[in-house]
Amino acid sequence: MIGWVFSTSESASIEIRSQPPAIVWSRPGNGEVIGTGIETPLRVEAEDSDSKVMRVTYYANGLEIGTVSERPYSISWIPSETGRYSLQAEVVDETGTSHPSEDEQSYTR
């Protein structure tokens, strides 16, 4: 008996990308006036649908002011000068995927 053997070899490449984490400001509110030299809580809500949030880093006018790695993602900051501050936060998940927040504008007096 003669048999036939068929063989098919195909390869496929699949790339799985992590979705960026989500981040939204809780405090201070956009446009909120805060006191110069007064401890001010900064807080964001950070979530990731397909990974674990590893850290949130906070910035004031582009300068890093602190990093937190546990919930709640909150730090205290003392603005040293009167004026306008552009506050931003960046969340990073366990795959290294990062996502910046929208800028929040706060004013000190």
XYZ file of all heavy atoms in Angstrom:
845
model
N 0.840 -1.167 0.000
C 0.000 0.000 0.000
C 0.890 1.236 0.000
O 1.833 1.335 0.747
C -0.899 -0.038 1.223
C -1.767 1.125 1.325
S -2.903 0.822 2.684
C -4.100 1.956 2.270
N 0.553 2.120 -0.857
C 1.313 3.351 -0.977
C 0.528 4.450 -0.279
O -0.654 4.632 -0.499
C 1.538 3.727 -2.451
C 2.330 2.628 -3.128
C 2.212 5.075 -2.558
C 2.541 2.846 -4.591
N 1.220 5.208 0.586
C 0.561 6.308 1.296
C 1.170 7.640 0.881
O 2.303 7.716 0.447
N 0.381 8.646 1.011
C 0.835 9.994 0.696
C 0.947 10.787 1.997
O 0.081 10.748 2.842
C -0.143 10.683 -0.248
C -0.268 9.984 -1.561
C -1.131 8.986 -1.880
C 0.531 10.216 -2.700
N -0.944 8.568 -3.160
C 0.083 9.320 -3.705
C 1.579 11.067 -3.023
C 0.638 9.266 -4.967
C 2.118 11.010 -4.279
C 1.657 10.120 -5.232
N 2.019 11.513 2.074
C 2.220 12.371 3.246
C 2.323 13.806 2.750
O 3.131 14.109 1.888
C 3.507 11.988 4.010
C 3.732 12.947 5.167
C 3.434 10.553 4.492
N 1.468 14.624 3.297
C 1.494 16.039 2.942
C 1.976 16.832 4.163
O 1.566 16.573 5.276
C 0.106 16.540 2.527
C -0.369 15.919 1.258
C -1.210 14.812 1.278
C 0.019 16.436 0.026
C -1.645 14.243 0.106
C -0.420 15.863 -1.144
C -1.251 14.760 -1.108
N 2.801 17.772 3.903
C 3.311 18.601 4.988
C 3.207 20.069 4.582
O 3.610 20.437 3.489
C 4.777 18.249 5.259
O 5.308 19.112 6.231
N 2.664 20.845 5.471
C 2.565 22.285 5.228
C 3.245 22.990 6.392
O 3.002 22.682 7.542
C 1.095 22.732 5.167
O 0.454 22.007 4.131
C 0.992 24.204 4.892
N 4.091 23.892 6.050
C 4.782 24.644 7.094
C 4.596 26.129 6.830
O 5.086 26.649 5.841
C 6.272 24.291 7.094
O 6.943 25.078 8.039
N 3.878 26.752 7.694
C 3.677 28.193 7.604
C 4.017 28.795 8.966
O 3.797 28.184 9.995
C 2.236 28.524 7.255
C 1.851 28.115 5.859
C 0.439 28.533 5.518
O -0.005 29.573 6.024
O -0.202 27.819 4.761
N 4.553 29.965 8.932
C 4.832 30.631 10.203
C 4.120 31.970 10.222
O 3.879 32.572 9.181
C 6.333 30.817 10.411
O 6.846 31.680 9.425
N 3.784 32.364 11.390
C 3.120 33.650 11.561
C 3.813 34.389 12.692
O 4.253 33.802 13.661
C 1.652 33.448 11.891
N 3.906 35.644 12.544
C 4.506 36.477 13.570
C 3.402 37.311 14.203
O 2.656 37.986 13.507
C 5.563 37.386 12.953
O 6.090 38.248 13.924
N 3.303 37.228 15.508
C 2.285 37.971 16.230
C 2.985 38.865 17.240
O 3.816 38.417 18.009
C 1.315 37.023 16.958
C 0.594 36.134 15.958
C 0.334 37.819 17.797
C -0.266 35.080 16.598
N 2.640 40.127 17.200
C 3.194 41.060 18.165
C 2.077 41.501 19.095
O 1.034 41.976 18.659
C 3.779 42.282 17.454
C 4.400 43.265 18.395
C 5.013 44.453 17.668
O 5.129 44.433 16.428
O 5.359 45.408 18.365
N 2.294 41.295 20.374
C 1.310 41.690 21.364
C 1.821 42.949 22.038
O 2.899 42.955 22.612
C 1.067 40.570 22.387
C 0.561 39.315 21.670
C 0.097 41.042 23.464
C 0.430 38.115 22.543
N 1.052 43.994 21.937
C 1.457 45.268 22.520
C 0.623 45.562 23.748
O -0.567 45.341 23.766
C 1.275 46.403 21.512
C 2.185 46.278 20.336
C 2.028 47.447 19.429
N 2.917 47.286 18.284
C 3.144 48.212 17.414
N 2.569 49.382 17.527
N 3.955 47.992 16.399
N 1.284 46.086 24.737
C 0.600 46.497 25.953
C -0.167 47.783 25.683
O 0.328 48.677 25.014
C 1.629 46.722 27.060
O 1.013 47.200 28.221
N -1.370 47.851 26.204
C -2.141 49.091 26.116
C -1.550 50.081 27.108
O -1.147 49.693 28.202
C -3.609 48.833 26.447
C -4.304 47.941 25.451
C -4.348 48.578 24.079
O -4.686 49.737 23.928
N -3.993 47.814 23.064
N -1.483 51.352 26.759
C -0.928 52.319 27.707
C -1.837 52.470 28.923
O -3.060 52.378 28.810
C -0.855 53.617 26.909
C -1.796 53.445 25.788
C -1.883 51.977 25.501
N -1.243 52.689 30.077
C -2.060 52.914 31.267
C -2.798 54.240 31.168
O -2.409 55.130 30.420
C -1.039 52.927 32.406
C 0.292 53.093 31.763
C 0.182 52.710 30.339
N -3.864 54.356 31.929
C -4.666 55.580 31.950
C -4.342 56.369 33.209
O -4.074 55.795 34.262
C -6.150 55.235 31.924
N -4.382 57.693 33.095
C -4.078 58.553 34.231
C -4.936 59.812 34.165
O -5.099 60.401 33.098
C -2.568 58.894 34.268
C -2.199 59.656 35.532
C -2.136 59.626 33.025
C -0.703 59.739 35.767
N -5.522 60.181 35.316
C -6.395 61.351 35.405
C -6.104 62.060 36.725
O -6.003 61.423 37.773
C -7.886 60.938 35.361
C -8.791 62.143 35.541
C -8.210 60.204 34.076
N -5.996 63.384 36.676
C -5.743 64.173 37.879
C -6.946 64.167 38.807
O -8.086 64.317 38.374
C -5.420 65.619 37.523
C -3.996 65.822 37.167
C -3.463 65.838 35.915
C -2.903 66.017 38.064
N -2.101 66.031 35.973
C -1.734 66.148 37.288
C -2.793 66.083 39.455
C -0.484 66.339 37.858
C -1.543 66.277 40.018
C -0.409 66.405 39.217
N -6.669 64.045 40.122
C -7.697 64.198 41.152
C -7.506 65.510 41.909
O -8.453 66.221 42.177
C -7.634 63.051 42.165
O -7.926 61.832 41.560
N -6.235 65.799 42.285
C -5.901 67.020 43.025
C -4.561 67.526 42.596
O -3.660 66.717 42.409
C -5.842 66.734 44.528
C -7.200 66.545 45.128
C -7.136 66.559 46.607
N -6.953 67.941 47.064
C -6.799 68.258 48.315
N -6.775 67.353 49.236
N -6.645 69.506 48.677
N -4.322 68.783 42.506
C -5.309 69.859 42.583
C -6.119 69.923 41.290
O -5.735 69.344 40.277
C -4.446 71.108 42.751
C -3.170 70.788 42.050
C -2.978 69.305 42.250
N -7.203 70.639 41.330
C -8.005 70.826 40.133
C -7.331 71.803 39.180
O -6.538 72.654 39.603
N -7.630 71.684 37.914
C -7.055 72.581 36.911
C -7.452 74.022 37.231
O -8.622 74.325 37.421
C -7.531 72.190 35.514
C -6.650 72.760 34.431
O -5.487 73.074 34.655
N -7.210 72.896 33.248
N -6.449 74.900 37.323
C -6.697 76.302 37.615
C -6.804 76.622 39.094
O -7.000 77.776 39.471
N -6.674 75.612 39.942
C -6.786 75.834 41.385
C -5.640 76.707 41.900
O -4.505 76.590 41.451
C -6.766 74.485 42.106
C -7.014 74.583 43.594
C -7.134 73.214 44.237
O -7.627 72.276 43.588
O -6.722 73.105 45.398
N -5.962 77.580 42.837
C -4.951 78.428 43.477
C -4.474 77.716 44.738
O -5.286 77.289 45.567
C -5.523 79.816 43.821
C -4.482 80.649 44.562
C -5.973 80.523 42.549
N -3.156 77.565 44.856
C -2.567 76.914 46.022
C -1.588 77.873 46.678
O -1.156 78.845 46.058
C -1.881 75.580 45.634
C -0.860 75.790 44.512
C -2.913 74.561 45.196
C -0.153 74.530 44.051
N -1.242 77.633 47.923
C -0.406 78.568 48.663
C 1.083 78.316 48.507
O 1.545 77.182 48.581
N 1.837 79.377 48.302
C 3.292 79.291 48.259
C 3.796 78.903 49.642
O 3.361 79.458 50.648
C 3.898 80.651 47.853
O 3.373 81.028 46.588
C 5.409 80.582 47.773
N 4.709 77.925 49.696
C 5.279 77.475 50.957
C 4.356 76.603 51.781
O 4.679 76.262 52.915
N 3.224 76.227 51.228
C 2.258 75.391 51.942
C 2.224 74.006 51.302
O 2.157 73.871 50.079
C 0.850 76.033 51.912
C 0.890 77.383 52.616
C -0.189 75.103 52.532
C -0.387 78.170 52.517
N 2.261 72.968 52.153
C 2.223 71.593 51.654
C 0.920 71.354 50.891
O -0.169 71.626 51.387
C 2.322 70.619 52.830
C 2.507 69.192 52.407
C 2.810 68.298 53.589
O 3.670 68.656 54.418
O 2.178 67.234 53.660
N 1.076 70.874 49.662
C -0.056 70.660 48.763
C -0.092 69.207 48.309
O 0.893 68.703 47.765
C 0.075 71.563 47.518
O 0.156 72.921 47.941
C -1.089 71.388 46.578
N -1.207 68.500 48.532
C -1.286 67.121 48.051
C -1.501 67.085 46.539
O -2.302 67.845 45.999
C -2.491 66.544 48.790
C -3.328 67.717 49.162
C -2.394 68.891 49.289
N -0.749 66.228 45.870
C -0.936 65.956 44.442
C -1.423 64.517 44.341
O -0.855 63.620 44.964
C 0.373 66.103 43.674
C 1.116 67.425 43.788
C 2.376 67.386 42.939
C 0.238 68.593 43.394
N -2.464 64.303 43.548
C -3.012 62.947 43.450
C -3.586 62.707 42.061
O -4.262 63.580 41.505
C -4.093 62.724 44.483
C -4.652 61.316 44.433
C -5.643 61.064 45.502
N -6.133 59.701 45.359
C -6.729 59.044 46.303
N -6.935 59.594 47.463
N -7.146 57.823 46.079
N -3.300 61.524 41.530
C -3.891 61.081 40.270
C -4.522 59.714 40.473
O -4.189 58.990 41.409
C -2.844 60.987 39.123
C -2.267 62.347 38.788
C -1.765 59.983 39.432
N -5.431 59.385 39.587
C -5.975 58.027 39.500
C -5.274 57.373 38.323
O -5.267 57.933 37.216
C -7.486 58.058 39.268
C -8.262 58.741 40.371
C -8.118 58.065 41.723
O -8.011 56.820 41.771
O -8.089 58.786 42.736
N -4.634 56.233 38.560
C -3.908 55.532 37.506
C -4.397 54.087 37.434
O -4.503 53.410 38.459
C -2.406 55.565 37.787
N -4.699 53.639 36.231
C -5.209 52.283 35.994
C -4.536 51.710 34.760
O -4.107 52.445 33.880
C -6.725 52.301 35.760
C -7.544 52.822 36.911
C -7.610 51.885 38.081
O -7.438 50.661 37.886
O -7.812 52.369 39.209
N -4.493 50.381 34.690
C -3.986 49.711 33.503
C -4.845 48.481 33.253
O -5.009 47.657 34.148
C -2.520 49.306 33.669
C -1.878 48.956 32.357
O -2.434 48.106 31.644
O -0.836 49.529 32.030
N -5.404 48.375 32.065
C -6.344 47.296 31.754
C -5.676 45.949 31.516
O -6.314 44.918 31.654
C -7.177 47.673 30.528
O -6.337 47.816 29.391
N -4.394 45.940 31.159
C -3.753 44.664 30.836
C -2.416 44.453 31.541
O -1.650 43.569 31.171
C -3.568 44.540 29.320
C -2.655 45.599 28.746
O -2.256 46.517 29.475
O -2.334 45.509 27.546
N -2.134 45.246 32.552
C -0.863 45.143 33.241
C -1.001 45.781 34.618
O -2.067 46.258 34.984
C 0.223 45.851 32.414
O 1.491 45.614 32.944
N 0.082 45.816 35.358
C 0.089 46.405 36.702
C 0.795 47.761 36.666
O 1.852 47.893 36.058
C 0.833 45.472 37.650
C 0.947 45.989 39.048
C 1.766 45.037 39.905
C 1.975 45.656 41.280
N 2.890 44.900 42.082
N 0.206 48.747 37.319
C 0.849 50.053 37.447
C 2.052 49.883 38.374
O 1.932 49.359 39.478
C -0.119 51.117 38.004
C 0.604 52.402 38.346
C -1.232 51.386 37.001
N 3.221 50.330 37.912
C 4.445 50.202 38.702
C 4.801 51.492 39.435
O 5.293 51.452 40.548
C 5.620 49.779 37.821
C 5.442 48.410 37.203
S 5.170 47.098 38.407
C 6.795 46.974 39.139
N 4.567 52.634 38.776
C 4.908 53.897 39.431
C 4.242 55.070 38.728
O 3.879 54.982 37.561
C 6.413 54.108 39.466
C 7.051 54.362 38.118
C 8.571 54.537 38.219
N 9.171 54.672 36.925
C 9.523 53.678 36.120
N 9.315 52.429 36.494
N 10.066 53.910 34.953
N 4.127 56.149 39.491
C 3.654 57.431 38.976
C 4.695 58.458 39.389
O 5.071 58.537 40.561
C 2.269 57.811 39.533
C 1.883 59.221 39.103
C 1.210 56.807 39.086
N 5.162 59.234 38.421
C 6.138 60.291 38.689
C 5.479 61.636 38.433
O 4.798 61.818 37.422
C 7.388 60.121 37.801
O 7.947 58.825 38.046
C 8.426 61.188 38.099
N 5.684 62.564 39.351
C 5.096 63.900 39.274
C 6.149 64.925 38.853
O 7.310 64.820 39.251
C 4.535 64.313 40.640
C 3.307 63.537 41.028
C 3.401 62.338 41.706
C 2.038 64.023 40.716
C 2.270 61.626 42.076
C 0.905 63.324 41.071
C 1.032 62.121 41.754
O -0.102 61.428 42.103
N 5.697 65.925 38.093
C 6.567 66.992 37.593
C 5.890 68.346 37.796
O 4.666 68.455 37.662
C 6.843 66.826 36.098
C 7.495 65.510 35.744
C 6.718 64.373 35.490
C 8.876 65.409 35.664
C 7.313 63.167 35.173
C 9.478 64.192 35.343
C 8.689 63.080 35.101
O 9.288 61.876 34.794
N 6.690 69.355 38.107
C 6.213 70.745 38.160
C 7.100 71.548 37.227
O 8.322 71.581 37.401
C 6.288 71.296 39.578
N 6.494 72.149 36.219
C 7.238 72.906 35.199
C 8.376 72.078 34.601
O 9.468 72.572 34.351
C 7.764 74.224 35.768
C 6.639 75.170 36.111
O 5.519 75.026 35.645
N 6.933 76.157 36.933
N 8.120 70.786 34.397
C 9.090 69.902 33.762
C 10.136 69.301 34.676
O 10.912 68.457 34.248
N 10.163 69.703 35.947
C 11.138 69.164 36.890
C 10.488 68.105 37.767
O 9.401 68.322 38.324
C 11.713 70.274 37.778
C 12.436 71.405 37.046
C 12.815 72.507 38.026
C 13.668 70.873 36.333
N 11.151 66.956 37.914
C 10.609 65.872 38.728
C 10.528 66.300 40.187
O 11.482 66.840 40.747
C 11.486 64.636 38.608
C 10.939 63.449 39.364
C 11.764 62.191 39.197
O 12.363 61.991 38.124
O 11.805 61.418 40.160
N 9.366 66.046 40.795
C 9.195 66.394 42.208
C 8.911 65.185 43.087
O 8.901 65.310 44.304
C 8.108 67.473 42.404
C 6.779 67.036 41.788
C 8.561 68.793 41.836
C 5.645 68.013 42.035
N 8.708 64.016 42.505
C 8.508 62.821 43.320
C 7.920 61.662 42.542
O 7.312 61.851 41.497
N 8.130 60.459 43.089
C 7.618 59.225 42.487
C 6.983 58.374 43.577
O 7.519 58.282 44.684
C 8.757 58.433 41.807
O 9.318 59.227 40.765
C 8.251 57.132 41.204
N 5.854 57.749 43.253
C 5.195 56.813 44.167
C 4.939 55.512 43.422
O 4.736 55.504 42.210
C 3.877 57.376 44.735
C 4.137 58.556 45.636
C 2.911 57.745 43.649
N 4.965 54.402 44.174
C 4.774 53.101 43.537
C 3.617 52.311 44.139
O 3.437 51.140 43.805
C 6.067 52.285 43.625
O 6.462 52.131 44.973
N 2.851 52.937 45.016
C 1.704 52.253 45.621
C 0.499 53.177 45.664
O 0.634 54.388 45.697
C 2.051 51.816 47.048
C 3.128 50.755 47.097
C 3.431 50.317 48.524
O 2.746 50.768 49.459
O 4.360 49.524 48.696
N -0.675 52.556 45.685
C -1.914 53.312 45.850
C -1.993 53.857 47.242
O -1.559 53.184 48.160
C -3.114 52.396 45.606
C -3.358 52.120 44.184
C -4.765 51.557 44.071
N -5.350 52.188 42.933
C -5.727 51.546 41.847
N -5.645 50.272 41.780
N -6.220 52.192 40.836
N -2.547 54.982 47.494
C -2.995 55.928 46.476
C -1.784 56.622 45.859
O -0.773 56.815 46.531
C -3.835 56.928 47.272
C -3.263 56.881 48.649
C -2.762 55.482 48.839
N -1.877 56.955 44.612
C -0.761 57.585 43.897
C -0.752 59.075 44.230
O -1.180 59.901 43.448
C -0.864 57.315 42.401
C -0.881 55.841 42.100
C -2.031 55.216 41.635
C 0.246 55.064 42.312
C -2.043 53.849 41.366
C 0.240 53.702 42.060
C -0.908 53.104 41.595
O -0.919 51.761 41.346
N -0.285 59.373 45.429
C -0.346 60.733 45.960
C 0.979 61.098 46.611
O 1.632 60.250 47.226
C -1.475 60.802 46.993
O -1.564 62.079 47.541
N 1.377 62.353 46.464
C 2.551 62.887 47.151
C 2.201 64.278 47.672
O 1.201 64.862 47.276
C 3.803 62.972 46.244
C 3.588 63.972 45.098
C 4.209 61.617 45.722
C 4.859 64.304 44.351
N 3.035 64.784 48.554
C 2.906 66.166 49.023
C 4.012 66.986 48.388
O 5.144 66.522 48.253
C 3.014 66.231 50.544
O 1.894 65.619 51.122
N 3.661 68.202 48.018
C 4.607 69.102 47.352
C 4.450 70.484 47.943
O 3.333 70.935 48.236
C 4.306 69.104 45.854
C 4.998 70.140 45.040
C 6.347 70.303 44.895
C 4.383 71.149 44.240
N 6.601 71.351 44.041
C 5.406 71.880 43.629
C 3.065 71.491 43.971
C 5.158 72.940 42.779
C 2.810 72.544 43.127
C 3.851 73.255 42.532
N 5.565 71.168 48.140
C 5.540 72.524 48.668
C 6.083 73.467 47.594
O 7.296 73.502 47.357
C 6.377 72.645 49.960
C 5.831 71.688 51.026
C 6.360 74.095 50.462
C 6.673 71.608 52.270
N 5.199 74.213 46.911
C 5.680 75.160 45.899
C 6.471 76.281 46.578
O 6.035 76.829 47.586
C 4.410 75.688 45.241
C 3.284 75.282 46.109
C 3.743 74.204 47.011
N 7.647 76.574 46.039
C 8.543 77.531 46.688
C 8.416 78.965 46.171
O 8.910 79.882 46.814
C 9.989 77.069 46.533
O 10.315 76.970 45.156
N 7.771 79.135 45.037
C 7.670 80.477 44.452
C 6.242 80.781 44.042
O 5.485 79.889 43.676
C 8.571 80.587 43.222
C 10.046 80.430 43.524
C 10.911 80.528 42.280
O 10.408 80.976 41.240
O 12.085 80.151 42.371
N 5.903 82.053 44.044
C 4.600 82.507 43.578
C 4.593 82.484 42.051
O 5.598 82.793 41.421
C 4.327 83.945 44.070
O 4.369 83.938 45.496
C 2.982 84.449 43.597
N 3.490 82.077 41.468
C 3.384 82.072 40.019
C 2.528 80.930 39.505
O 1.736 80.341 40.228
N 2.716 80.630 38.239
C 1.949 79.569 37.581
C 2.809 78.323 37.479
O 3.983 78.389 37.123
C 1.527 80.023 36.191
C 0.642 78.999 35.491
C 0.198 79.523 34.188
N 1.305 79.391 33.236
C 1.172 79.357 31.930
N -0.012 79.504 31.399
N 2.206 79.220 31.154
N 2.212 77.183 37.771
C 2.889 75.899 37.653
C 2.121 75.001 36.691
O 0.897 74.905 36.773
C 2.980 75.193 39.010
C 3.997 75.805 39.934
C 3.646 76.822 40.807
C 5.311 75.359 39.939
C 4.572 77.385 41.664
C 6.247 75.917 40.789
C 5.876 76.925 41.646
O 6.796 77.476 42.495
N 2.870 74.359 35.813
C 2.302 73.338 34.957
C 2.650 71.999 35.612
O 3.818 71.626 35.706
C 2.911 73.417 33.556
O 2.431 72.369 32.757
N 1.619 71.313 36.107
C 1.818 70.035 36.784
C 1.510 68.901 35.828
O 0.537 68.951 35.081
C 0.919 69.941 38.012
C 1.127 71.022 39.071
C 0.090 70.884 40.174
C 2.539 70.955 39.638
N 2.346 67.892 35.856
C 2.144 66.716 35.015
C 2.527 65.485 35.803
O 3.373 65.537 36.696
C 2.974 66.806 33.741
C 2.626 65.724 32.726
C 3.427 65.865 31.442
O 4.626 65.998 31.480
N 2.733 65.822 30.324
N 1.907 64.368 35.478
C 2.245 63.087 36.073
C 2.389 62.077 34.940
O 1.752 62.200 33.895
C 1.179 62.642 37.054
N 3.237 61.090 35.159
C 3.439 60.035 34.163
C 3.317 58.687 34.865
O 3.936 58.471 35.904
C 4.813 60.163 33.528
C 5.085 59.079 32.505
C 6.482 59.177 31.929
O 7.443 59.327 32.717
O 6.607 59.091 30.707
N 2.518 57.808 34.297
C 2.334 56.472 34.852
C 3.101 55.480 33.983
O 3.138 55.609 32.759
C 0.835 56.102 34.949
C 0.155 56.119 33.605
C 0.650 54.740 35.609
N 3.744 54.491 34.632
C 4.491 53.443 33.935
C 3.984 52.093 34.439
O 3.845 51.891 35.655
C 6.011 53.561 34.200
C 6.760 52.428 33.520
C 6.531 54.910 33.726
N 3.708 51.170 33.500
C 3.246 49.840 33.906
C 4.412 48.848 33.905
O 5.547 49.193 33.584
C 2.066 49.372 33.051
C 2.422 49.055 31.610
O 3.615 48.897 31.282
O 1.488 48.938 30.795
N 4.119 47.591 34.276
C 5.176 46.589 34.426
C 5.831 46.175 33.106
O 6.897 45.578 33.118
C 4.654 45.363 35.169
C 3.601 44.578 34.430
C 3.020 43.462 35.276
O 3.605 43.111 36.319
O 1.970 42.931 34.885
N 5.238 46.549 31.981
C 5.873 46.251 30.694
C 6.768 47.401 30.245
O 7.404 47.323 29.210
C 4.820 45.992 29.586
O 4.120 47.199 29.305
C 3.853 44.886 29.977
N 6.778 48.493 31.031
C 7.571 49.665 30.667
C 6.811 50.671 29.826
O 7.350 51.703 29.447
N 5.545 50.370 29.537
C 4.720 51.296 28.768
C 4.350 52.473 29.661
O 3.917 52.288 30.792
C 3.444 50.595 28.261
O 3.823 49.453 27.486
C 2.609 51.532 27.397
N 4.544 53.681 29.144
C 4.239 54.869 29.949
C 3.206 55.739 29.258
O 2.991 55.634 28.053
C 5.509 55.677 30.205
O 6.016 56.186 28.999
N 2.574 56.586 30.061
C 1.574 57.505 29.522
C 1.555 58.753 30.402
O 1.396 58.658 31.615
C 0.198 56.847 29.506
C -0.841 57.657 28.817
N -0.846 57.847 27.453
C -1.900 58.341 29.295
C -1.876 58.607 27.128
N -2.522 58.917 28.227
N 1.721 59.930 29.797
C 1.675 61.160 30.587
C 0.237 61.631 30.783
O -0.644 61.340 29.983
C 2.444 62.154 29.709
C 2.180 61.687 28.319
C 2.093 60.181 28.407
N 0.038 62.367 31.856
C -1.262 62.991 32.095
C -1.374 64.238 31.235
O -0.400 64.718 30.667
C -1.395 63.385 33.566
O -0.488 64.463 33.849
N -2.571 64.776 31.183
C -2.767 66.115 30.654
C -2.150 67.075 31.658
O -2.120 66.802 32.850
C -4.249 66.422 30.485
C -4.956 65.538 29.474
C -4.533 65.816 28.051
O -4.269 66.996 27.732
O -4.458 64.870 27.260
N -1.639 68.200 31.182
C -1.096 69.199 32.104
C -2.224 69.825 32.918
O -3.296 70.090 32.404
C -0.382 70.322 31.335
C 0.952 69.882 30.788
O 1.332 68.712 30.964
O 1.626 70.726 30.166
N -1.936 70.054 34.188
C -2.824 70.791 35.063
C -2.149 72.122 35.350
O -0.960 72.154 35.660
C -3.041 70.056 36.392
C -3.849 68.786 36.281
C -5.323 69.050 36.048
O -5.925 69.828 36.797
O -5.861 68.471 35.098
N -2.870 73.192 35.235
C -2.328 74.520 35.538
C -2.775 74.920 36.928
O -3.977 74.954 37.196
C -2.783 75.539 34.504
C -2.405 75.210 33.083
C -0.907 75.189 32.878
O -0.184 76.038 33.354
N -0.431 74.191 32.149
N -1.827 75.170 37.811
C -2.132 75.649 39.155
C -1.378 76.937 39.399
O -0.329 77.189 38.808
C -1.736 74.593 40.208
O -2.568 73.481 40.099
N -1.910 77.733 40.264
C -1.338 79.058 40.546
C -1.068 79.164 42.036
O -1.854 78.682 42.856
C -2.320 80.151 40.104
C -2.686 80.013 38.653
C -3.761 79.242 38.256
C -1.925 80.617 37.662
C -4.096 79.089 36.919
C -2.243 80.463 36.317
C -3.325 79.698 35.963
O -3.639 79.542 34.629
N 0.062 79.795 42.376
C 0.369 79.987 43.786
C 0.257 81.467 44.131
O 0.418 82.343 43.289
C 1.788 79.489 44.121
O 2.728 80.165 43.293
C 1.907 78.000 43.913
N -0.002 81.717 45.380
C -0.062 83.101 45.859
C 0.580 83.178 47.215
O 0.812 82.240 47.891
C -1.481 83.618 45.909
C -2.358 82.778 46.791
C -3.723 83.337 46.868
N -4.513 82.302 47.537
C -5.672 82.511 48.028
N -6.231 83.666 47.932
N -6.327 81.561 48.616
